[in-house]
Amino acid sequence: MTAAALRISLLAGLIAAAGALDAALVSRLLPYGPPDLALLVVVSLAMRHGLLPGAVAGAVAGYLRDLVTGGPLGVFVTAYLLAGVLIGLFAPLANQRHPYLVAGAAIPATLLHHFSAWAVVTATGLAPVAGLAALGAAAVAAPLNAVLARPADAAVGAIDALIFRRHPARIIGRGVIR
Amino acid sequence: MRLRIGLVAILLAAALALLTMQVRLPDRREVGPIGSLILSWIGPAHSALSSAGNSASSLWRLYREIGKLRAENTRLREEVERLVRESALLREQAQATQRLEALLEIRKQLPGRVLGARVVGRDATRWFDVILVDRGERDGVRRNAPVVSTGGVVGRVLHAGAATSQVLLITDPRSAAGVLLQQSREAGVVQGQGQSLLRLKYISRGQEIVVGEAVVTSGLSSVFPRGLPVGSVESVVREQGAAYQEALVRPAASLNRLEEVLILLDGGPRR
């Protein structure tokens, strides 16, 4: 298996595992404004590898989320994709060695993700979602995501380090390995 | 960079297109074969995680339940302790009421003024049979006033203080009273021995003493009025060559469990 294929498989597996954890465990333990582990993986990928990997990871995470939640496909694809794009756009401007970089990025990503999902659902008339409730859930989820951002980033970093050890001569991304 | 932005734009357009297409469907959802395949993969993992989530939720609920039960247990324990205290207090009050009713009944039968008193102390060494009651001279108590309880004679006032008095029990060796055997009307004297039994003296040898016969005050002494129960004959003592026969008498009053007594203020013999 090539390094790229291995990396894609591992990252897809990580996103799928994070999404399954979100749906099966996290949302049960914290029914209102639960943290979003899949989004944190997307944020970490976008911070480490830039716009395109962030966008693709967002699309995959959103697609899986759409599949699991039972809603129309595309709602969360759009929301996660936008979050990945936002973080990927600003990643080159950030100090990659800052210890709270991912935690700081998780907050705007969470807010954008919640807002875009609410906007899509409201604009398409899919479900009656109260804006205030959505804002409250985002306000609760954002700090929780900030707290959990480093462990999620560490998981992504572990995959990057694994790929780098197995294929040291290949460039696996344009970000740094922390 | 342009290529990347172009790819991202395509992704965004694809997402919006997917959303638009889905929204237009009758059920507003169609996962397609790829989606079905992915769902079939992630379904078991989702179920396993869900089971784990259920277990975690159950454990969490159990933990919270334990906390609630602990608090409830503490509250109930306190409630039980309070009720036990109240119950003991009520039982104590009920017993006191019974004793006081009995004393009241006795009081009606006693001559002159009678004063109720509470036993507040006793000689800790038990060398002397003396008790302390909470009535004194300012209540009208005087030295040698007879003291009785529901059972019968208790003793006499040894010393009357201002607010308390010492009562010499009839079991004290310093105590003596003129008595009658209630059936035979034979006169004698009971004297304390420092033990639980009294010694009945000076009964003529010709007189038969029946065990269990009641002994009452004779009124011949200057302390006790006539007819107060003193006790009952426990055993007869006949010594060879003695001029009189003697008997051991068990006091009618429960001298070891005295809590309330009556002091006869106008004591002395009633002829």
PDB file of all heavy atoms in Angstrom, chain B residues 231-269:
ATOM      1  N   GLY B 231     -42.996  -3.105 104.574  1.00  0.00           N
ATOM      2  CA  GLY B 231     -42.472  -4.205 103.785  1.00  0.00           C
ATOM      3  C   GLY B 231     -43.198  -5.488 104.111  1.00  0.00           C
ATOM      4  O   GLY B 231     -44.320  -5.462 104.644  1.00  0.00           O
ATOM      5  N   SER B 232     -42.567  -6.599 103.817  1.00  0.00           N
ATOM      6  CA  SER B 232     -43.163  -7.901 104.118  1.00  0.00           C
ATOM      7  C   SER B 232     -42.070  -8.830 104.639  1.00  0.00           C
ATOM      8  O   SER B 232     -40.893  -8.685 104.289  1.00  0.00           O
ATOM      9  CB  SER B 232     -43.797  -8.503 102.872  1.00  0.00           C
ATOM     10  OG  SER B 232     -42.847  -8.587 101.852  1.00  0.00           O
ATOM     11  N   VAL B 233     -42.479  -9.768 105.476  1.00  0.00           N
ATOM     12  CA  VAL B 233     -41.518 -10.672 106.116  1.00  0.00           C
ATOM     13  C   VAL B 233     -40.917 -11.596 105.065  1.00  0.00           C
ATOM     14  O   VAL B 233     -41.645 -12.250 104.312  1.00  0.00           O
ATOM     15  CB  VAL B 233     -42.207 -11.481 107.239  1.00  0.00           C
ATOM     16  CG1 VAL B 233     -41.231 -12.500 107.818  1.00  0.00           C
ATOM     17  CG2 VAL B 233     -42.732 -10.554 108.321  1.00  0.00           C
ATOM     18  N   GLU B 234     -39.599 -11.617 105.043  1.00  0.00           N
ATOM     19  CA  GLU B 234     -38.900 -12.451 104.080  1.00  0.00           C
ATOM     20  C   GLU B 234     -38.518 -13.797 104.710  1.00  0.00           C
ATOM     21  O   GLU B 234     -38.670 -14.837 104.095  1.00  0.00           O
ATOM     22  CB  GLU B 234     -37.636 -11.716 103.613  1.00  0.00           C
ATOM     23  CG  GLU B 234     -36.841 -12.420 102.559  1.00  0.00           C
ATOM     24  CD  GLU B 234     -37.302 -12.072 101.157  1.00  0.00           C
ATOM     25  OE1 GLU B 234     -38.246 -11.262 101.024  1.00  0.00           O
ATOM     26  OE2 GLU B 234     -36.741 -12.623 100.195  1.00  0.00           O
ATOM     27  N   SER B 235     -38.013 -13.706 105.980  1.00  0.00           N
ATOM     28  CA  SER B 235     -37.655 -14.939 106.694  1.00  0.00           C
ATOM     29  C   SER B 235     -37.640 -14.657 108.203  1.00  0.00           C
ATOM     30  O   SER B 235     -37.555 -13.508 108.620  1.00  0.00           O
ATOM     31  CB  SER B 235     -36.278 -15.443 106.235  1.00  0.00           C
ATOM     32  OG  SER B 235     -35.306 -14.477 106.524  1.00  0.00           O
ATOM     33  N   VAL B 236     -37.731 -15.704 108.955  1.00  0.00           N
ATOM     34  CA  VAL B 236     -37.773 -15.566 110.420  1.00  0.00           C
ATOM     35  C   VAL B 236     -36.448 -16.051 110.991  1.00  0.00           C
ATOM     36  O   VAL B 236     -35.897 -17.048 110.538  1.00  0.00           O
ATOM     37  CB  VAL B 236     -38.939 -16.391 111.005  1.00  0.00           C
ATOM     38  CG1 VAL B 236     -39.002 -16.236 112.526  1.00  0.00           C
ATOM     39  CG2 VAL B 236     -40.255 -15.961 110.365  1.00  0.00           C
ATOM     40  N   VAL B 237     -35.934 -15.311 111.978  1.00  0.00           N
ATOM     41  CA  VAL B 237     -34.650 -15.660 112.604  1.00  0.00           C
ATOM     42  C   VAL B 237     -34.912 -15.940 114.090  1.00  0.00           C
ATOM     43  O   VAL B 237     -35.336 -15.049 114.820  1.00  0.00           O
ATOM     44  CB  VAL B 237     -33.627 -14.505 112.458  1.00  0.00           C
ATOM     45  CG1 VAL B 237     -32.298 -14.887 113.096  1.00  0.00           C
ATOM     46  CG2 VAL B 237     -33.462 -14.109 111.003  1.00  0.00           C
ATOM     47  N   ARG B 238     -34.703 -17.207 114.488  1.00  0.00           N
ATOM     48  CA  ARG B 238     -34.893 -17.562 115.910  1.00  0.00           C
ATOM     49  C   ARG B 238     -33.569 -18.034 116.452  1.00  0.00           C
ATOM     50  O   ARG B 238     -33.041 -19.050 116.003  1.00  0.00           O
ATOM     51  CB  ARG B 238     -35.937 -18.663 116.051  1.00  0.00           C
ATOM     52  CG  ARG B 238     -37.346 -18.150 115.866  1.00  0.00           C
ATOM     53  CD  ARG B 238     -38.367 -19.226 116.182  1.00  0.00           C
ATOM     54  NE  ARG B 238     -39.709 -18.711 116.060  1.00  0.00           N
ATOM     55  CZ  ARG B 238     -40.727 -19.428 115.643  1.00  0.00           C
ATOM     56  NH1 ARG B 238     -40.555 -20.685 115.299  1.00  0.00           N
ATOM     57  NH2 ARG B 238     -41.928 -18.918 115.594  1.00  0.00           N
ATOM     58  N   GLU B 239     -33.052 -17.291 117.373  1.00  0.00           N
ATOM     59  CA  GLU B 239     -31.767 -17.684 117.952  1.00  0.00           C
ATOM     60  C   GLU B 239     -32.015 -18.350 119.295  1.00  0.00           C
ATOM     61  O   GLU B 239     -32.875 -17.911 120.066  1.00  0.00           O
ATOM     62  CB  GLU B 239     -30.865 -16.457 118.111  1.00  0.00           C
ATOM     63  CG  GLU B 239     -30.391 -15.932 116.756  1.00  0.00           C
ATOM     64  CD  GLU B 239     -29.534 -14.682 116.906  1.00  0.00           C
ATOM     65  OE1 GLU B 239     -29.248 -14.267 118.035  1.00  0.00           O
ATOM     66  OE2 GLU B 239     -29.160 -14.123 115.851  1.00  0.00           O
ATOM     67  N   GLN B 240     -31.226 -19.385 119.519  1.00  0.00           N
ATOM     68  CA  GLN B 240     -31.364 -20.159 120.757  1.00  0.00           C
ATOM     69  C   GLN B 240     -31.072 -19.258 121.953  1.00  0.00           C
ATOM     70  O   GLN B 240     -30.071 -18.553 121.982  1.00  0.00           O
ATOM     71  CB  GLN B 240     -30.368 -21.335 120.727  1.00  0.00           C
ATOM     72  CG  GLN B 240     -30.702 -22.475 121.650  1.00  0.00           C
ATOM     73  CD  GLN B 240     -31.921 -23.273 121.184  1.00  0.00           C
ATOM     74  OE1 GLN B 240     -32.209 -23.364 120.004  1.00  0.00           O
ATOM     75  NE2 GLN B 240     -32.657 -23.828 122.133  1.00  0.00           N
ATOM     76  N   GLY B 241     -31.942 -19.250 122.903  1.00  0.00           N
ATOM     77  CA  GLY B 241     -31.714 -18.521 124.142  1.00  0.00           C
ATOM     78  C   GLY B 241     -32.048 -17.056 124.096  1.00  0.00           C
ATOM     79  O   GLY B 241     -31.956 -16.354 125.100  1.00  0.00           O
ATOM     80  N   ALA B 242     -32.446 -16.537 122.951  1.00  0.00           N
ATOM     81  CA  ALA B 242     -32.761 -15.113 122.846  1.00  0.00           C
ATOM     82  C   ALA B 242     -34.154 -14.848 123.400  1.00  0.00           C
ATOM     83  O   ALA B 242     -35.047 -15.702 123.321  1.00  0.00           O
ATOM     84  CB  ALA B 242     -32.702 -14.669 121.391  1.00  0.00           C
ATOM     85  N   ALA B 243     -34.326 -13.668 123.954  1.00  0.00           N
ATOM     86  CA  ALA B 243     -35.607 -13.328 124.562  1.00  0.00           C
ATOM     87  C   ALA B 243     -36.659 -13.044 123.508  1.00  0.00           C
ATOM     88  O   ALA B 243     -37.856 -13.247 123.728  1.00  0.00           O
ATOM     89  CB  ALA B 243     -35.434 -12.104 125.476  1.00  0.00           C
ATOM     90  N   TYR B 244     -36.236 -12.570 122.352  1.00  0.00           N
ATOM     91  CA  TYR B 244     -37.179 -12.223 121.287  1.00  0.00           C
ATOM     92  C   TYR B 244     -36.784 -12.956 120.010  1.00  0.00           C
ATOM     93  O   TYR B 244     -35.661 -13.406 119.847  1.00  0.00           O
ATOM     94  CB  TYR B 244     -37.149 -10.710 121.006  1.00  0.00           C
ATOM     95  CG  TYR B 244     -37.559  -9.882 122.211  1.00  0.00           C
ATOM     96  CD1 TYR B 244     -36.606  -9.329 123.070  1.00  0.00           C
ATOM     97  CD2 TYR B 244     -38.916  -9.661 122.471  1.00  0.00           C
ATOM     98  CE1 TYR B 244     -36.976  -8.580 124.155  1.00  0.00           C
ATOM     99  CE2 TYR B 244     -39.292  -8.910 123.566  1.00  0.00           C
ATOM    100  CZ  TYR B 244     -38.321  -8.365 124.409  1.00  0.00           C
ATOM    101  OH  TYR B 244     -38.698  -7.644 125.486  1.00  0.00           O
ATOM    102  N   GLN B 245     -37.723 -13.026 119.142  1.00  0.00           N
ATOM    103  CA  GLN B 245     -37.388 -13.550 117.819  1.00  0.00           C
ATOM    104  C   GLN B 245     -37.301 -12.384 116.825  1.00  0.00           C
ATOM    105  O   GLN B 245     -37.836 -11.298 117.072  1.00  0.00           O
ATOM    106  CB  GLN B 245     -38.415 -14.582 117.349  1.00  0.00           C
ATOM    107  CG  GLN B 245     -39.826 -14.047 117.236  1.00  0.00           C
ATOM    108  CD  GLN B 245     -40.781 -15.109 116.717  1.00  0.00           C
ATOM    109  OE1 GLN B 245     -40.389 -15.999 115.969  1.00  0.00           O
ATOM    110  NE2 GLN B 245     -42.042 -15.021 117.143  1.00  0.00           N
ATOM    111  N   GLU B 246     -36.634 -12.603 115.735  1.00  0.00           N
ATOM    112  CA  GLU B 246     -36.430 -11.550 114.743  1.00  0.00           C
ATOM    113  C   GLU B 246     -36.839 -12.057 113.362  1.00  0.00           C
ATOM    114  O   GLU B 246     -37.012 -13.258 113.146  1.00  0.00           O
ATOM    115  CB  GLU B 246     -34.968 -11.106 114.701  1.00  0.00           C
ATOM    116  CG  GLU B 246     -34.521 -10.464 116.009  1.00  0.00           C
ATOM    117  CD  GLU B 246     -33.080  -9.979 115.970  1.00  0.00           C
ATOM    118  OE1 GLU B 246     -32.362 -10.300 114.992  1.00  0.00           O
ATOM    119  OE2 GLU B 246     -32.684  -9.310 116.909  1.00  0.00           O
ATOM    120  N   ALA B 247     -36.950 -11.142 112.461  1.00  0.00           N
ATOM    121  CA  ALA B 247     -37.296 -11.515 111.073  1.00  0.00           C
ATOM    122  C   ALA B 247     -36.616 -10.547 110.121  1.00  0.00           C
ATOM    123  O   ALA B 247     -36.271  -9.415 110.488  1.00  0.00           O
ATOM    124  CB  ALA B 247     -38.806 -11.471 110.870  1.00  0.00           C
ATOM    125  N   LEU B 248     -36.422 -11.012 108.910  1.00  0.00           N
ATOM    126  CA  LEU B 248     -35.891 -10.124 107.867  1.00  0.00           C
ATOM    127  C   LEU B 248     -37.055  -9.637 107.010  1.00  0.00           C
ATOM    128  O   LEU B 248     -37.931 -10.429 106.639  1.00  0.00           O
ATOM    129  CB  LEU B 248     -34.875 -10.870 106.986  1.00  0.00           C
ATOM    130  CG  LEU B 248     -33.593 -11.288 107.717  1.00  0.00           C
ATOM    131  CD1 LEU B 248     -32.681 -12.087 106.787  1.00  0.00           C
ATOM    132  CD2 LEU B 248     -32.845 -10.073 108.271  1.00  0.00           C
ATOM    133  N   VAL B 249     -37.083  -8.368 106.788  1.00  0.00           N
ATOM    134  CA  VAL B 249     -38.216  -7.736 106.086  1.00  0.00           C
ATOM    135  C   VAL B 249     -37.715  -7.098 104.784  1.00  0.00           C
ATOM    136  O   VAL B 249     -36.711  -6.375 104.782  1.00  0.00           O
ATOM    137  CB  VAL B 249     -38.871  -6.656 106.978  1.00  0.00           C
ATOM    138  CG1 VAL B 249     -39.940  -5.887 106.206  1.00  0.00           C
ATOM    139  CG2 VAL B 249     -39.452  -7.293 108.227  1.00  0.00           C
ATOM    140  N   ARG B 250     -38.430  -7.399 103.703  1.00  0.00           N
ATOM    141  CA  ARG B 250     -38.089  -6.759 102.413  1.00  0.00           C
ATOM    142  C   ARG B 250     -38.885  -5.459 102.290  1.00  0.00           C
ATOM    143  O   ARG B 250     -40.114  -5.483 102.405  1.00  0.00           O
ATOM    144  CB  ARG B 250     -38.437  -7.691 101.251  1.00  0.00           C
ATOM    145  CG  ARG B 250     -38.101  -7.095  99.893  1.00  0.00           C
ATOM    146  CD  ARG B 250     -38.161  -8.134  98.814  1.00  0.00           C
ATOM    147  NE  ARG B 250     -37.160  -9.174  99.005  1.00  0.00           N
ATOM    148  CZ  ARG B 250     -35.840  -9.049  98.726  1.00  0.00           C
ATOM    149  NH1 ARG B 250     -35.378  -7.898  98.230  1.00  0.00           N
ATOM    150  NH2 ARG B 250     -35.009 -10.037  98.936  1.00  0.00           N
ATOM    151  N   PRO B 251     -38.224  -4.333 102.109  1.00  0.00           N
ATOM    152  CA  PRO B 251     -38.952  -3.051 102.018  1.00  0.00           C
ATOM    153  C   PRO B 251     -39.984  -3.063 100.896  1.00  0.00           C
ATOM    154  O   PRO B 251     -39.756  -3.637  99.828  1.00  0.00           O
ATOM    155  CB  PRO B 251     -37.849  -2.034 101.728  1.00  0.00           C
ATOM    156  CG  PRO B 251     -36.598  -2.663 102.185  1.00  0.00           C
ATOM    157  CD  PRO B 251     -36.774  -4.131 101.984  1.00  0.00           C
ATOM    158  N   ALA B 252     -41.109  -2.432 101.194  1.00  0.00           N
ATOM    159  CA  ALA B 252     -42.174  -2.366 100.173  1.00  0.00           C
ATOM    160  C   ALA B 252     -41.802  -1.414  99.044  1.00  0.00           C
ATOM    161  O   ALA B 252     -42.177  -1.634  97.893  1.00  0.00           O
ATOM    162  CB  ALA B 252     -43.483  -1.917 100.832  1.00  0.00           C
ATOM    163  N   ALA B 253     -41.081  -0.377  99.393  1.00  0.00           N
ATOM    164  CA  ALA B 253     -40.687   0.603  98.358  1.00  0.00           C
ATOM    165  C   ALA B 253     -39.442   0.110  97.628  1.00  0.00           C
ATOM    166  O   ALA B 253     -38.589  -0.528  98.219  1.00  0.00           O
ATOM    167  CB  ALA B 253     -40.405   1.961  99.007  1.00  0.00           C
ATOM    168  N   SER B 254     -39.394   0.388  96.342  1.00  0.00           N
ATOM    169  CA  SER B 254     -38.201   0.024  95.551  1.00  0.00           C
ATOM    170  C   SER B 254     -37.145   1.097  95.763  1.00  0.00           C
ATOM    171  O   SER B 254     -37.062   2.080  95.015  1.00  0.00           O
ATOM    172  CB  SER B 254     -38.557  -0.079  94.066  1.00  0.00           C
ATOM    173  OG  SER B 254     -39.589  -1.003  93.883  1.00  0.00           O
ATOM    174  N   LEU B 255     -36.350   0.890  96.788  1.00  0.00           N
ATOM    175  CA  LEU B 255     -35.449   1.953  97.221  1.00  0.00           C
ATOM    176  C   LEU B 255     -34.295   2.193  96.236  1.00  0.00           C
ATOM    177  O   LEU B 255     -33.676   3.244  96.260  1.00  0.00           O
ATOM    178  CB  LEU B 255     -34.890   1.626  98.611  1.00  0.00           C
ATOM    179  CG  LEU B 255     -35.972   1.485  99.694  1.00  0.00           C
ATOM    180  CD1 LEU B 255     -35.351   1.055 101.007  1.00  0.00           C
ATOM    181  CD2 LEU B 255     -36.727   2.791  99.875  1.00  0.00           C
ATOM    182  N   ASN B 256     -33.997   1.209  95.434  1.00  0.00           N
ATOM    183  CA  ASN B 256     -32.901   1.390  94.461  1.00  0.00           C
ATOM    184  C   ASN B 256     -33.362   2.089  93.184  1.00  0.00           C
ATOM    185  O   ASN B 256     -32.557   2.440  92.348  1.00  0.00           O
ATOM    186  CB  ASN B 256     -32.304   0.037  94.083  1.00  0.00           C
ATOM    187  CG  ASN B 256     -31.428  -0.498  95.198  1.00  0.00           C
ATOM    188  OD1 ASN B 256     -30.785   0.275  95.919  1.00  0.00           O
ATOM    189  ND2 ASN B 256     -31.437  -1.800  95.379  1.00  0.00           N
ATOM    190  N   ARG B 257     -34.673   2.221  93.022  1.00  0.00           N
ATOM    191  CA  ARG B 257     -35.178   2.803  91.775  1.00  0.00           C
ATOM    192  C   ARG B 257     -36.088   3.992  92.042  1.00  0.00           C
ATOM    193  O   ARG B 257     -37.046   4.229  91.339  1.00  0.00           O
ATOM    194  CB  ARG B 257     -35.942   1.742  90.984  1.00  0.00           C
ATOM    195  CG  ARG B 257     -35.009   0.667  90.442  1.00  0.00           C
ATOM    196  CD  ARG B 257     -35.767  -0.336  89.638  1.00  0.00           C
ATOM    197  NE  ARG B 257     -36.803  -0.959  90.443  1.00  0.00           N
ATOM    198  CZ  ARG B 257     -37.529  -1.997  90.035  1.00  0.00           C
ATOM    199  NH1 ARG B 257     -37.335  -2.499  88.848  1.00  0.00           N
ATOM    200  NH2 ARG B 257     -38.449  -2.514  90.822  1.00  0.00           N
ATOM    201  N   LEU B 258     -35.777   4.710  93.095  1.00  0.00           N
ATOM    202  CA  LEU B 258     -36.629   5.850  93.442  1.00  0.00           C
ATOM    203  C   LEU B 258     -36.392   7.006  92.476  1.00  0.00           C
ATOM    204  O   LEU B 258     -35.255   7.347  92.175  1.00  0.00           O
ATOM    205  CB  LEU B 258     -36.313   6.316  94.866  1.00  0.00           C
ATOM    206  CG  LEU B 258     -36.786   5.405  95.996  1.00  0.00           C
ATOM    207  CD1 LEU B 258     -36.207   5.905  97.312  1.00  0.00           C
ATOM    208  CD2 LEU B 258     -38.297   5.379  96.055  1.00  0.00           C
ATOM    209  N   GLU B 259     -37.462   7.582  92.016  1.00  0.00           N
ATOM    210  CA  GLU B 259     -37.332   8.776  91.160  1.00  0.00           C
ATOM    211  C   GLU B 259     -38.156   9.936  91.701  1.00  0.00           C
ATOM    212  O   GLU B 259     -37.755  11.085  91.620  1.00  0.00           O
ATOM    213  CB  GLU B 259     -37.746   8.454  89.730  1.00  0.00           C
ATOM    214  CG  GLU B 259     -36.757   7.500  89.075  1.00  0.00           C
ATOM    215  CD  GLU B 259     -37.016   7.337  87.602  1.00  0.00           C
ATOM    216  OE1 GLU B 259     -37.042   8.348  86.894  1.00  0.00           O
ATOM    217  OE2 GLU B 259     -37.188   6.183  87.167  1.00  0.00           O
ATOM    218  N   GLU B 260     -39.332   9.609  92.229  1.00  0.00           N
ATOM    219  CA  GLU B 260     -40.149  10.629  92.872  1.00  0.00           C
ATOM    220  C   GLU B 260     -40.596  10.108  94.235  1.00  0.00           C
ATOM    221  O   GLU B 260     -40.845   8.904  94.388  1.00  0.00           O
ATOM    222  CB  GLU B 260     -41.405  10.974  92.049  1.00  0.00           C
ATOM    223  CG  GLU B 260     -41.113  11.631  90.719  1.00  0.00           C
ATOM    224  CD  GLU B 260     -41.022  10.602  89.601  1.00  0.00           C
ATOM    225  OE1 GLU B 260     -41.417   9.437  89.841  1.00  0.00           O
ATOM    226  OE2 GLU B 260     -40.544  10.948  88.509  1.00  0.00           O
ATOM    227  N   VAL B 261     -40.667  10.991  95.177  1.00  0.00           N
ATOM    228  CA  VAL B 261     -41.116  10.602  96.523  1.00  0.00           C
ATOM    229  C   VAL B 261     -42.095  11.654  97.043  1.00  0.00           C
ATOM    230  O   VAL B 261     -42.224  12.741  96.467  1.00  0.00           O
ATOM    231  CB  VAL B 261     -39.924  10.483  97.517  1.00  0.00           C
ATOM    232  CG1 VAL B 261     -38.999   9.345  97.141  1.00  0.00           C
ATOM    233  CG2 VAL B 261     -39.160  11.798  97.609  1.00  0.00           C
ATOM    234  N   LEU B 262     -42.767  11.298  98.108  1.00  0.00           N
ATOM    235  CA  LEU B 262     -43.670  12.246  98.775  1.00  0.00           C
ATOM    236  C   LEU B 262     -43.129  12.520 100.183  1.00  0.00           C
ATOM    237  O   LEU B 262     -42.731  11.593 100.892  1.00  0.00           O
ATOM    238  CB  LEU B 262     -45.073  11.651  98.873  1.00  0.00           C
ATOM    239  CG  LEU B 262     -45.831  11.456  97.573  1.00  0.00           C
ATOM    240  CD1 LEU B 262     -47.148  10.753  97.843  1.00  0.00           C
ATOM    241  CD2 LEU B 262     -46.086  12.785  96.880  1.00  0.00           C
ATOM    242  N   ILE B 263     -43.094  13.779 100.534  1.00  0.00           N
ATOM    243  CA  ILE B 263     -42.642  14.164 101.881  1.00  0.00           C
ATOM    244  C   ILE B 263     -43.872  14.604 102.675  1.00  0.00           C
ATOM    245  O   ILE B 263     -44.650  15.460 102.208  1.00  0.00           O
ATOM    246  CB  ILE B 263     -41.626  15.316 101.807  1.00  0.00           C
ATOM    247  CG1 ILE B 263     -40.425  14.907 100.931  1.00  0.00           C
ATOM    248  CG2 ILE B 263     -41.148  15.705 103.199  1.00  0.00           C
ATOM    249  CD1 ILE B 263     -39.470  16.051 100.623  1.00  0.00           C
ATOM    250  N   LEU B 264     -44.050  13.994 103.805  1.00  0.00           N
ATOM    251  CA  LEU B 264     -45.195  14.344 104.645  1.00  0.00           C
ATOM    252  C   LEU B 264     -44.801  15.529 105.525  1.00  0.00           C
ATOM    253  O   LEU B 264     -44.042  15.371 106.485  1.00  0.00           O
ATOM    254  CB  LEU B 264     -45.612  13.139 105.516  1.00  0.00           C
ATOM    255  CG  LEU B 264     -46.462  12.052 104.844  1.00  0.00           C
ATOM    256  CD1 LEU B 264     -45.752  11.428 103.641  1.00  0.00           C
ATOM    257  CD2 LEU B 264     -46.808  10.972 105.850  1.00  0.00           C
ATOM    258  N   LEU B 265     -45.333  16.690 105.167  1.00  0.00           N
ATOM    259  CA  LEU B 265     -44.924  17.900 105.866  1.00  0.00           C
ATOM    260  C   LEU B 265     -45.470  17.951 107.287  1.00  0.00           C
ATOM    261  O   LEU B 265     -44.847  18.477 108.189  1.00  0.00           O
ATOM    262  CB  LEU B 265     -45.359  19.145 105.084  1.00  0.00           C
ATOM    263  CG  LEU B 265     -44.755  19.268 103.680  1.00  0.00           C
ATOM    264  CD1 LEU B 265     -45.276  20.520 103.003  1.00  0.00           C
ATOM    265  CD2 LEU B 265     -43.235  19.298 103.743  1.00  0.00           C
ATOM    266  N   ASP B 266     -46.669  17.388 107.453  1.00  0.00           N
ATOM    267  CA  ASP B 266     -47.260  17.345 108.811  1.00  0.00           C
ATOM    268  C   ASP B 266     -47.069  15.949 109.366  1.00  0.00           C
ATOM    269  O   ASP B 266     -47.992  15.311 109.849  1.00  0.00           O
ATOM    270  CB  ASP B 266     -48.751  17.682 108.742  1.00  0.00           C
ATOM    271  CG  ASP B 266     -48.958  19.058 108.152  1.00  0.00           C
ATOM    272  OD1 ASP B 266     -48.125  19.941 108.393  1.00  0.00           O
ATOM    273  OD2 ASP B 266     -49.957  19.229 107.410  1.00  0.00           O
ATOM    274  N   GLY B 267     -45.820  15.454 109.237  1.00  0.00           N
ATOM    275  CA  GLY B 267     -45.544  14.076 109.655  1.00  0.00           C
ATOM    276  C   GLY B 267     -45.670  13.894 111.150  1.00  0.00           C
ATOM    277  O   GLY B 267     -46.082  14.791 111.882  1.00  0.00           O
ATOM    278  N   GLY B 268     -45.291  12.747 111.581  1.00  0.00           N
ATOM    279  CA  GLY B 268     -45.430  12.422 112.984  1.00  0.00           C
ATOM    280  C   GLY B 268     -46.596  11.492 113.173  1.00  0.00           C
ATOM    281  O   GLY B 268     -47.415  11.288 112.271  1.00  0.00           O
ATOM    282  N   PRO B 269     -46.671  10.864 114.272  1.00  0.00           N
ATOM    283  CA  PRO B 269     -47.694   9.845 114.489  1.00  0.00           C
ATOM    284  C   PRO B 269     -49.107  10.412 114.533  1.00  0.00           C
ATOM    285  O   PRO B 269     -49.318  11.535 114.990  1.00  0.00           O
ATOM    286  CB  PRO B 269     -47.295   9.236 115.835  1.00  0.00           C
ATOM    287  CG  PRO B 269     -46.402  10.225 116.473  1.00  0.00           C
ATOM    288  CD  PRO B 269     -45.778  11.058 115.412  1.00  0.00           C
TER     289      PRO B 269
END
